[in-house]
């Protein structure tokens, strides 16, 4: 049995819709073939952007998109990606498959994509191999309406008005692919580069400093101490790495192994936030988990540098649980970006030629849309069931317990007064009876949508794209309580009015 009390009048902070953000890198088929096919493609497109993918992303109200990387960001020189396409220089994408990048998708194309999606752009600058001047000029090119060389250049390239880009990151993973730096060295570099990322007009940049990898608490401590006052957000990257295992074809132990490791996000967010609290008790600086997801062995026969993997109900459980964690920490976590939107790692969309499928992870984003910019409410778990497996995984990198709570939850209140709880049962082997006690208001109507399937490794394929889809189901509302049975490895969104 799972019982929770929803204190519908205990209003906490806003759940920033950017928690439901995405990440697109020049990596494999994320940009080329995934988001962008070019205007001359036979695949239906709007100014070169795939129409089916645009529609699908609009369906989950994508609020923000990060670009151009990732590791690619720290070797990307933005001036290579502007102006007439036939004159743009090529480069080798050394991080990702060693392929030739023709720069046909650059600043203008990315910002047009965001306009078509109706989402905020989040641009990652190059600190690792770029200069201060180069970064500074990119910001000027993006945001200045003054008479200036960069503004003139932008106008000559067909864009009169500045874009007013708000979210700007000063380097990516500078402890690794972004320059292999020590935290104090990067903190100094961050401060220097950030000075020259200017505000133009009314647009105030929201500057993001490269944060820690996983549990590197020393990085967070150093950055907050040395540069906390100069940043608006610190990023955190955390993946569930299973480089020797495919995304499919796992058993109960393999299922448990990945889900358990993913749940360590609760510890990571709590501990990094606690360090941030020491330097920033008012929580001015946000924590952006701007890369997260599952990372398996690439699908057989695909380029190892392209990170193309399938996506199953196991990934849906990971996404649902982590999004509940992010909601519950939304006083500090104000943006997250799943890696990556299309065809790379834990994608929400897969494409093959002109075909497209929505993954189980996509459907979790769909279920969670009522949380966008809603208000977190008090939610007390009174009773839960325990979950483990007969054969425990050999590895437990993060020292997570062998016995987990079966069910996790988060709940928000929308402006119209409706309350939505998203509830995920991670157990692979049992349904759980759930009861949500609605305290504070009288509700007359309860509706529910569920993502469930027969097997934990069920997925959507190009031949069977709708094997895993959301269904509406009836739930019981009586005596101020909502009751339902939550099947194994399933997630439900219950809304009461
Ligand atoms: O998302 C793939 C890669 O993972 C990104 O480029 C990098 O930032 C991280 O290591």
């Amino acid at each position: 049995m799972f019982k929770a009390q929803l204190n519908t009048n205990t209003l906490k902070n806003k759940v920033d819709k950017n928690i439901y953000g995405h990440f697109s890198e020049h990596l494999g088929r994320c940009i080329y073939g995934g988001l962008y096919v070019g205007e001359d493609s036979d695949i239906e497109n709007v100014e070169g952007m795939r129409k089916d993918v645009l529609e699908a992303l609009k369906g989950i109200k994508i609020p923000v998109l990060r670009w151009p990387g990732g590791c690619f960001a720290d070797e990307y020189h933005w001036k290579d990606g502007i102006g007439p396409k036939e004159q743009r220089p090529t480069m080798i994408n050394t991080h990702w498959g060693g392929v030739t990048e023709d720069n046909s998708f650059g600043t203008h194309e990315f910002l047009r994509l965001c306009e078509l999606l109706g989402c905020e752009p989040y641009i990652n600058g190059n600190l690792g191999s770029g200069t201060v001047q180069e970064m500074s000029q990119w910001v000027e090119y993006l945001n200045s309406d003054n008479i200036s060389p960069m503004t003139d250049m932008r106008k000559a390239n067909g864009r009169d008005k500045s874009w007013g880009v708000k979210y700007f990151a000063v380097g990516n993973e500078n402890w690794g692919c972004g320059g292999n730096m020590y935290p104090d060295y990067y903190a100094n570099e961050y401060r220097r580069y950030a000075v020259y990322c200017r505000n133009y007009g009314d647009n105030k940049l929201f500057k993001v400093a490269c944060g820690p990898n996983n549990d590197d608490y020393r990085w967070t401590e150093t950055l907050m101490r040395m540069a906390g006052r100069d940043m608006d957000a610190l990023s955190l990257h955390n993946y569930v790495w299973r480089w020797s295992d495919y995304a499919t074809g796992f058993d109960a132990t393999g299922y448990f192994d990945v889900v358990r490791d993913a749940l360590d996000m609760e510890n990571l967010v709590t501990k990094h936030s606690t360090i941030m609290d020491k330097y920033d008790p008012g929580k001015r600086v946000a924590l952006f988990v701007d890369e997260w997801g599952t990372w398996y062995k690439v699908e057989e026969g695909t380029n190892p540098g392209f990170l193309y993997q399938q996506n199953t109900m196991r990934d849906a459980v990971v996404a649902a649980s982590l999004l509940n964690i992010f909601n519950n920490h939304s006083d500090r976590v104000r943006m997250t970006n799943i890696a990556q939107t299309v065809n790379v790692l834990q994608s929400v969309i897969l494409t093959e030629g002109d075909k497209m499928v929505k993954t189980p992870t996509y459907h979790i984003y769909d279920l969670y849309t009522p949380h966008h910019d809603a208000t977190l409410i008090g939610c007390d778990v009174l009773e839960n069931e325990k979950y483990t497996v007969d054969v425990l995984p050999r590895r437990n990198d993060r020292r997570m317990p062998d016995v987990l709570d079966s069910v996790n939850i988060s709940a928000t209140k929308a402006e119209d007064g409706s309350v939505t709880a998203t509830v995920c049962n991670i157990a692979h082997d049992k349904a759980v009876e759930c009861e949500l006690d609605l305290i504070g208001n009288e509700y007359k109507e309860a509706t529910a949508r569920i993502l469930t399937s027969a097997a934990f490794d069920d997925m959507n394929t190009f031949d069977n794209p709708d094997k895993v889809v959301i269904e509406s189901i009836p739930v019981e509302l009586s005596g101020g309580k909502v009751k339902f049975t939550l099947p194994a490895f399933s997630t439900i969104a219950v809304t009461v009015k």
Side-chain angles (χ1 to χ4, degrees), residues 103-151:
N103 280 306
S104 56
F105 188 93
T107 300
H108 291 250
E109 290 76 19
F110 171 66
L111 290 162
R112 183 66 187 133
L113 171 64
C114 292
E115 282 172 354
L116 291 169
L117 290 170
C119 76
E120 285 272 347
Y122 170 18
I123 291 187
N124 206 119
N126 176 351
L127 179 143
S129 71
T131 62
V132 173
Q133 184 187 36
E134 183 182 355
M135 191 183 285
S136 165
Q137 288 185 333
W138 200 4
V139 175
E140 184 182 324
Y141 188 89
L142 296 168
N143 290 345
S144 168
D145 283 312
N146 298 348
I147 294 168
S148 83
M150 290 305 113
T151 315

Coordinates of all heavy atoms in Angstrom, one line a residue, residues 103-151:
N103 N 28.6 22.9 -40.7 CA 28.1 24.1 -40.1 C 26.9 24.7 -40.8 O 26.6 25.9 -40.7 CB 29.2 25.2 -40.1 CG 30.2 25.0 -39.0 OD1 29.8 24.9 -37.8 ND2 31.5 24.8 -39.3
S104 N 26.1 23.8 -41.5 CA 24.9 24.3 -42.1 C 23.8 24.7 -41.1 O 22.9 25.4 -41.4 CB 24.4 23.3 -43.1 OG 24.2 22.1 -42.5
F105 N 24.0 24.1 -39.9 CA 23.1 24.5 -38.8 C 23.9 25.3 -37.8 O 24.8 24.8 -37.2 CB 22.5 23.2 -38.1 CG 21.4 23.5 -37.1 CD1 20.1 23.5 -37.4 CD2 21.8 23.8 -35.8 CE1 19.1 23.7 -36.5 CE2 20.8 24.0 -34.8 CZ 19.4 24.0 -35.2
G106 N 23.6 26.6 -37.7 CA 24.4 27.5 -36.8 C 23.4 28.3 -36.0 O 22.3 28.0 -35.8
T107 N 23.9 29.5 -35.6 CA 23.2 30.4 -34.7 C 21.8 30.7 -35.2 O 20.8 30.6 -34.5 CB 24.0 31.7 -34.5 OG1 25.3 31.3 -34.0 CG2 23.3 32.6 -33.6
H108 N 21.7 31.2 -36.5 CA 20.4 31.6 -37.0 C 19.4 30.4 -37.1 O 18.2 30.6 -36.8 CB 20.6 32.2 -38.4 CG 21.3 33.5 -38.4 ND1 20.6 34.7 -38.7 CD2 22.6 33.8 -38.1 CE1 21.5 35.7 -38.6 NE2 22.7 35.2 -38.3
E109 N 20.0 29.3 -37.5 CA 19.1 28.1 -37.6 C 18.6 27.7 -36.2 O 17.4 27.3 -36.1 CB 19.8 26.9 -38.3 CG 20.1 27.2 -39.8 CD 21.2 28.2 -40.1 OE1 22.1 28.4 -39.2 OE2 21.3 28.7 -41.2
F110 N 19.5 27.7 -35.3 CA 19.1 27.2 -33.9 C 18.0 28.2 -33.4 O 17.0 27.7 -32.8 CB 20.3 27.2 -33.0 CG 19.9 27.0 -31.5 CD1 19.3 25.8 -31.1 CD2 20.1 28.0 -30.6 CE1 18.9 25.6 -29.8 CE2 19.7 27.8 -29.3 CZ 19.1 26.6 -28.9
L111 N 18.3 29.5 -33.5 CA 17.3 30.4 -32.9 C 16.0 30.4 -33.7 O 14.9 30.6 -33.1 CB 17.9 31.8 -32.9 CG 19.0 31.8 -31.8 CD1 19.9 33.0 -32.0 CD2 18.4 31.8 -30.4
R112 N 16.0 30.1 -35.0 CA 14.8 29.9 -35.7 C 14.0 28.7 -35.2 O 12.8 28.7 -35.1 CB 15.1 29.8 -37.2 CG 13.8 29.7 -38.1 CD 13.0 31.0 -38.1 NE 11.8 30.8 -38.8 CZ 10.6 31.2 -38.3 NH1 10.5 31.8 -37.1 NH2 9.5 31.0 -39.0
L113 N 14.8 27.6 -35.0 CA 14.2 26.4 -34.4 C 13.4 26.7 -33.1 O 12.3 26.3 -32.9 CB 15.3 25.3 -34.2 CG 14.9 24.1 -33.4 CD1 13.8 23.3 -34.2 CD2 16.1 23.2 -33.2
C114 N 14.1 27.5 -32.2 CA 13.5 27.8 -31.0 C 12.2 28.6 -31.2 O 11.2 28.4 -30.5 CB 14.4 28.6 -30.1 SG 15.8 27.5 -29.5
E115 N 12.3 29.5 -32.2 CA 11.1 30.3 -32.5 C 9.9 29.4 -32.9 O 8.8 29.6 -32.5 CB 11.4 31.4 -33.6 CG 12.1 32.6 -33.0 CD 12.6 33.5 -34.2 OE1 12.4 33.2 -35.3 OE2 13.1 34.6 -33.8
L116 N 10.3 28.5 -33.8 CA 9.2 27.6 -34.3 C 8.7 26.7 -33.2 O 7.5 26.3 -33.2 CB 9.8 26.7 -35.4 CG 10.1 27.4 -36.7 CD1 10.9 26.6 -37.7 CD2 8.8 27.9 -37.4
L117 N 9.5 26.3 -32.2 CA 9.1 25.5 -31.1 C 8.4 26.3 -30.0 O 7.7 25.8 -29.1 CB 10.3 24.8 -30.5 CG 10.9 23.7 -31.3 CD1 12.2 23.2 -30.7 CD2 9.9 22.5 -31.4
G118 N 8.6 27.6 -30.1 CA 8.0 28.5 -29.0 C 8.8 28.3 -27.7 O 8.1 28.3 -26.6
C119 N 10.1 28.0 -27.8 CA 10.8 27.7 -26.5 C 12.0 28.7 -26.4 O 12.4 29.4 -27.3 CB 11.3 26.3 -26.5 SG 12.7 25.9 -27.5
E120 N 12.5 28.8 -25.2 CA 13.6 29.6 -24.9 C 14.9 29.0 -25.4 O 15.1 27.8 -25.1 CB 13.8 29.8 -23.4 CG 12.8 30.7 -22.7 CD 13.2 32.2 -22.7 OE1 14.4 32.5 -23.0 OE2 12.4 33.0 -22.4
P121 N 15.8 29.7 -26.0 CA 17.1 29.2 -26.3 C 18.1 29.2 -25.1 O 18.0 30.1 -24.3 CB 17.6 30.1 -27.4 CG 16.9 31.4 -27.2 CD 15.6 31.1 -26.5
Y122 N 18.9 28.2 -25.0 CA 19.9 28.2 -24.0 C 21.2 27.9 -24.7 O 21.4 26.8 -25.2 CB 19.6 27.2 -22.9 CG 20.6 26.8 -21.9 CD1 21.7 27.6 -21.6 CD2 20.5 25.7 -21.1 CE1 22.7 27.3 -20.7 CE2 21.4 25.3 -20.2 CZ 22.5 26.1 -19.9 OH 23.5 25.8 -19.0
I123 N 22.1 28.9 -24.8 CA 23.3 28.7 -25.6 C 24.5 28.5 -24.7 O 24.7 29.1 -23.7 CB 23.5 29.9 -26.5 CG1 22.4 29.9 -27.6 CG2 24.9 30.0 -27.1 CD1 22.5 31.0 -28.7
N124 N 25.4 27.5 -25.1 CA 26.6 27.2 -24.3 C 27.8 27.7 -25.1 O 28.1 27.3 -26.2 CB 26.6 25.7 -24.2 CG 27.4 25.3 -22.9 OD1 26.9 24.6 -22.1 ND2 28.7 25.7 -22.8
G125 N 28.5 28.7 -24.4 CA 29.7 29.3 -25.0 C 30.9 28.4 -24.9 O 30.9 27.5 -24.1
N126 N 31.9 28.8 -25.7 CA 33.2 28.0 -25.8 C 34.2 28.7 -24.9 O 34.8 29.7 -25.3 CB 33.6 28.0 -27.2 CG 34.9 27.3 -27.4 OD1 35.6 27.0 -26.5 ND2 35.3 27.0 -28.7
L127 N 34.5 28.1 -23.8 CA 35.6 28.6 -22.9 C 36.8 27.8 -23.1 O 37.9 28.3 -23.0 CB 35.1 28.6 -21.4 CG 36.1 29.0 -20.4 CD1 35.4 29.8 -19.3 CD2 36.9 27.9 -19.7
G128 N 36.6 26.4 -23.4 CA 37.8 25.5 -23.5 C 38.8 25.9 -24.6 O 40.0 25.9 -24.3
S129 N 38.3 26.2 -25.8 CA 39.2 26.4 -26.9 C 38.9 27.8 -27.6 O 39.5 28.1 -28.6 CB 39.2 25.3 -27.9 OG 38.0 25.4 -28.6
G130 N 38.0 28.5 -27.0 CA 37.7 29.8 -27.6 C 38.3 31.0 -26.8 O 38.7 30.8 -25.6
T131 N 38.2 32.2 -27.3 CA 38.8 33.3 -26.6 C 37.7 34.1 -25.9 O 36.5 33.9 -26.2 CB 39.5 34.3 -27.6 OG1 38.5 34.8 -28.5 CG2 40.6 33.6 -28.3
V132 N 38.1 34.9 -25.0 CA 37.2 35.8 -24.3 C 36.5 36.7 -25.4 O 35.3 36.9 -25.3 CB 37.9 36.7 -23.3 CG1 37.0 37.8 -22.7 CG2 38.5 35.9 -22.2
Q133 N 37.3 37.2 -26.3 CA 36.7 38.1 -27.4 C 35.6 37.4 -28.2 O 34.6 37.9 -28.5 CB 37.8 38.5 -28.3 CG 37.3 39.5 -29.3 CD 38.4 39.9 -30.3 OE1 39.2 39.0 -30.7 NE2 38.4 41.1 -30.8
E134 N 35.9 36.1 -28.5 CA 35.0 35.3 -29.3 C 33.6 35.1 -28.6 O 32.5 35.3 -29.2 CB 35.6 34.0 -29.6 CG 34.8 33.1 -30.5 CD 35.4 31.7 -30.7 OE1 36.6 31.5 -30.3 OE2 34.8 30.9 -31.4
M135 N 33.7 34.8 -27.3 CA 32.5 34.6 -26.5 C 31.7 36.0 -26.4 O 30.5 36.0 -26.5 CB 32.8 34.1 -25.1 CG 31.6 33.6 -24.4 SD 31.9 33.0 -22.8 CE 32.6 31.4 -23.1
S136 N 32.5 37.0 -26.1 CA 31.9 38.3 -25.9 C 31.2 38.8 -27.2 O 30.1 39.3 -27.2 CB 33.0 39.3 -25.5 OG 32.6 40.6 -25.7
Q137 N 31.8 38.5 -28.3 CA 31.2 38.9 -29.6 C 30.0 38.1 -29.9 O 29.1 38.6 -30.6 CB 32.3 38.8 -30.7 CG 33.3 39.9 -30.6 CD 34.3 39.8 -31.8 OE1 34.5 38.8 -32.4 NE2 34.9 41.0 -32.1
W138 N 30.0 36.9 -29.5 CA 28.8 36.0 -29.8 C 27.6 36.7 -29.0 O 26.5 36.8 -29.6 CB 29.0 34.6 -29.3 CG 28.0 33.6 -30.0 CD1 27.1 33.8 -30.9 CD2 28.0 32.2 -29.7 NE1 26.4 32.7 -31.3 CE2 27.0 31.6 -30.5 CE3 28.7 31.3 -28.9 CZ2 26.6 30.3 -30.5 CZ3 28.3 30.0 -28.9 CH2 27.3 29.5 -29.7
V139 N 27.8 37.0 -27.8 CA 26.7 37.6 -27.0 C 26.3 38.9 -27.7 O 25.1 39.2 -27.8 CB 27.2 37.9 -25.5 CG1 26.1 38.6 -24.7 CG2 27.5 36.5 -24.9
E140 N 27.2 39.7 -28.1 CA 26.9 41.0 -28.8 C 26.1 40.7 -30.1 O 25.1 41.4 -30.4 CB 28.2 41.7 -29.2 CG 28.0 43.1 -29.8 CD 29.3 43.7 -30.2 OE1 30.3 43.6 -29.4 OE2 29.4 44.4 -31.2
Y141 N 26.5 39.7 -30.8 CA 25.8 39.3 -32.1 C 24.4 38.9 -31.8 O 23.4 39.2 -32.5 CB 26.6 38.2 -32.7 CG 26.1 37.8 -34.1 CD1 26.7 38.3 -35.3 CD2 25.2 36.7 -34.3 CE1 26.3 37.9 -36.5 CE2 24.8 36.3 -35.6 CZ 25.4 36.9 -36.7 OH 25.0 36.6 -38.0
L142 N 24.2 38.2 -30.7 CA 22.9 37.7 -30.3 C 22.0 38.8 -29.8 O 20.8 38.8 -30.1 CB 23.0 36.6 -29.2 CG 23.7 35.3 -29.5 CD1 24.0 34.5 -28.2 CD2 22.9 34.5 -30.5
N143 N 22.5 39.7 -29.0 CA 21.6 40.5 -28.2 C 21.7 42.0 -28.4 O 20.9 42.8 -27.8 CB 21.9 40.2 -26.7 CG 21.4 38.8 -26.3 OD1 20.7 38.2 -27.1 ND2 21.9 38.3 -25.2
S144 N 22.7 42.5 -29.2 CA 22.8 44.0 -29.3 C 22.0 44.6 -30.4 O 21.9 44.0 -31.5 CB 24.3 44.3 -29.5 OG 24.4 45.7 -29.9
D145 N 21.4 45.7 -30.1 CA 20.7 46.5 -31.2 C 21.4 47.8 -31.4 O 20.9 48.7 -32.1 CB 19.2 46.7 -30.8 CG 18.4 45.4 -31.0 OD1 18.6 44.9 -32.1 OD2 17.7 45.0 -30.1
N146 N 22.6 48.0 -30.8 CA 23.4 49.2 -31.0 C 24.0 49.1 -32.4 O 24.0 48.1 -33.0 CB 24.6 49.2 -30.0 CG 24.1 49.3 -28.6 OD1 22.9 49.5 -28.3 ND2 25.0 49.1 -27.6
I147 N 24.5 50.3 -32.8 CA 25.3 50.3 -34.0 C 26.7 49.6 -33.6 O 27.4 50.2 -32.7 CB 25.5 51.7 -34.5 CG1 24.2 52.2 -35.0 CG2 26.5 51.7 -35.7 CD1 24.1 53.7 -35.3
S148 N 27.0 48.5 -34.1 CA 28.3 47.8 -33.7 C 28.7 46.8 -34.8 O 27.8 46.4 -35.6 CB 28.1 47.1 -32.4 OG 27.5 45.8 -32.6
P149 N 29.9 46.4 -34.8 CA 30.3 45.5 -35.9 C 29.5 44.2 -35.8 O 29.2 43.6 -36.9 CB 31.8 45.2 -35.5 CG 32.3 46.3 -34.6 CD 31.0 46.9 -34.0
M150 N 29.3 43.6 -34.6 CA 28.6 42.4 -34.6 C 27.1 42.5 -35.0 O 26.5 41.7 -35.7 CB 28.6 41.8 -33.1 CG 30.0 41.3 -32.7 SD 30.7 40.1 -33.9 CE 32.1 41.0 -34.5
T151 N 26.5 43.7 -34.6 CA 25.1 43.9 -35.0 C 25.0 44.1 -36.5 O 24.1 43.5 -37.2 CB 24.6 45.2 -34.4 OG1 25.0 45.2 -33.0 CG2 23.1 45.3 -34.4

